[in-house]
Amino acid sequence: EPLFERFFVAPKKVLLWHQSKEPLLALPKLPVPNLKDTLDRYLRCMKHLLTEEQFNKTQNIVMQFGAPGGVGELLQSKLTERSENVANWVYDYWLNDMYLNNRLALPVNSSPAMVFPQQNFMAPIDSLRFAAHLISGALEYKTHLDDRDLPVDYARGQLAGTRLCMEQYYRLFTSYRLPGPERDTLVAQESSVMPEPEHIIVACKNQFFVLDVMINFRQLNQRDLLTQLEKIVKMADNEEEQLPPIGLLTSDGRTEWAESRSVLMRESTNRDSLDMIERCLCLVCLDDASGPELSDTKRAMLMLHGGGLTKNGGNRWYDKPMQFIVGADGCCGVVCEHSAFEGIVLVQCTEYLLKCMIGSPSKLVRAASVSELPAPRRLRWKCTPEIHKLITSAADKLQRMVKNLDINVHKFHDYGKGFIKKQKMSPDAYIQLALQLGFYRCHGRPVSTYESASLRRFQQGRVDNIRSATPEAFAFVKAMTERKNKMMELLKGAITAQTSYTRLAITGMAIDNHLLGLREIAHEMKMGKLEMFKDEAYLISNQFILSTSQVPTTVEMFCCYGPVVPNGYGACYNPQSDHIIFSVSSFHESEQTCSAEFVKCLVQGLRDVRDLCNKCNADLPCANTSAQKTKYPFIKSSSYCSVLLILGLTLCLCT
């Protein structure tokens, strides 16, 4: 996520905890931007994305909305009042709008995945050892969360050192997305009455098993966990006990799944099974092998949707925030339900697990004695003909989704963020411009672009949007495509514009959350749908044809997700020092998109921008000086040049 920082002082306080469990200073509250600033930025962001006629109409609507004494000022005052009475004025609005109101199915459309390095399992027991080690690490991480001794995150980058909100971490293992007919609910297991969950759910061959991680007040070690996993595999292989793939229902649209869940809840057996899943710490999905080809692209697909009914699509429960996938063929990763936390929290957790596994390889040779360990329990389901019909319907829709997803994972090896930093440019801003250039060359137009920006420097902070399709970016990509003059000047201007908007976004001054807040306040005041939010420009502004996110890692893995609109792209990137990993997704059903073509244009754009930088550096007089400094290390400062100047003057005078 963008790494520009700013610190605000706020009168009201929220406490975090660091390693010594002492309260930290308060985080500031999210500020409410100035109304005029937001409306001016909105017009500037949209002008080059609209026709002249569309823009003139929008300009008049915005002027009327923001007029002195008008509806905009009224809504702004109500929003300011709200900000004084809640910890974060946009949190509920944003959560509902971004996730809980969304009726699309979670796989591909909402749930991102982290793809782990390909594992080399030589025998079936190896995958179970890996799973046992992974579970052990997750339990250790959960202990850190329970003890509140997880080190507090601090912002990095330009103004490093600002403390960040840690609230999202405490939802990793304690939350659940409950489907609703019109809106889902993010449920947190925070009741002091109900006991802490002490079990995980293991999915194997579309069956679900309860694995207690605490037995006789003792947490199972890796050897115990391996023993239990072996039992689960044997139980899952018993064809006489196999039940329908209920997990497929969670891959359906949210309204459909809510209705199916209501049908399931009629039977007490199903209610008990649902309760065990909804209160578990996490899921571990033991997947069957999915085929011989396990490229990065193939593994990304399998993480996002499981391959459908014929593979591991039913071996999931998408409502749970953390689903660890361990494939028998070494295809491993984690799928997350995104409403509970952002990608950086998922990265921190999974990096902790992978580093633990790399740092202390499992020494399990054989399973422990089974005498003291009770067998895991298979979850039972009572399935009526109606439920069988619902499962079939969900399976058909998932299969269409599998066929529709067009994903391309590309490792760009020509250079990485090391080269970009040498140009004294922000790697994130540089890559965003490359994405704009790639899209423009592929489609010949600029489009509304979403880039997530962290708001964790504020209480309950989630994200706002960096609108990367700036006017300066448009001028640059147009010049690059048409090979006009002053391309380097335009590149620097576009980098500056992207950096400036990033700063606005992470300090709470971007436009998207603010406009959302004004819209929701109007709804609460029963004003009806205002012209401002019915305007075609507002609809275009929220159709993010290009949805992007930087998800950097320090271990070998990458993130992937689907597009957010039918005719769009999802573009996730992971910049490393000498290479960049891109995961680009789109839908085959759209005649307007093609992931392979977009990646091709993106790669060419990255090379062209590099060549532009190299050419301009070679043409600069100071570039030769820099090269000479590298070649002759004794040229270290201006004092050397001063000596040469004095010597030259002396020789001239003597002559």
Side-chain angles (χ1 to χ4, degrees), residues 46 98 104 153 179 254 362 365 456 581 590 593 596 606 647:
M46 294 306 299
M98 182 69 80
L104 294 176
D153 289 345
R254 301 309 290 171
S362 176
V365 178
R456 286 179 59 212
I581 305 171
S590 171
T593 58
L606 285 163
L647 180 60

Side-chain angles (χ1 to χ4, degrees), residues 395-462:
D396 289 343
K397 282 182 266 188
L398 180 61
Q399 207 59 36
R400 288 199 295 272
M401 187 186 299
V402 169
K403 291 180 180 178
N404 195 16
L405 181 63
D406 175 15
I407 194 165
N408 189 304
V409 178
H410 179 82
K411 289 186 177 178
F412 179 76
H413 286 290
D414 289 30
Y415 61 91
K417 63 182 178 182
F419 168 80
I420 302 171
K421 287 181 177 179
K422 286 180 181 177
Q423 312 310 308
K424 302 191 184 306
M425 295 177 184
S426 157
D428 184 72
Y430 182 104
I431 294 170
Q432 282 291 327
L433 283 174
L435 288 165
Q436 292 293 315
L437 177 58
F439 186 92
Y440 188 80
R441 283 182 169 171
C442 202
H443 298 283
R445 65 190 178 104
V447 290
S448 291
T449 303
Y450 181 97
E451 182 193 2
S452 58
S454 174
L455 291 174
R456 286 179 59 212
R457 55 192 41 74
F458 303 107
Q459 296 177 34
Q460 297 182 2
R462 292 296 298 263

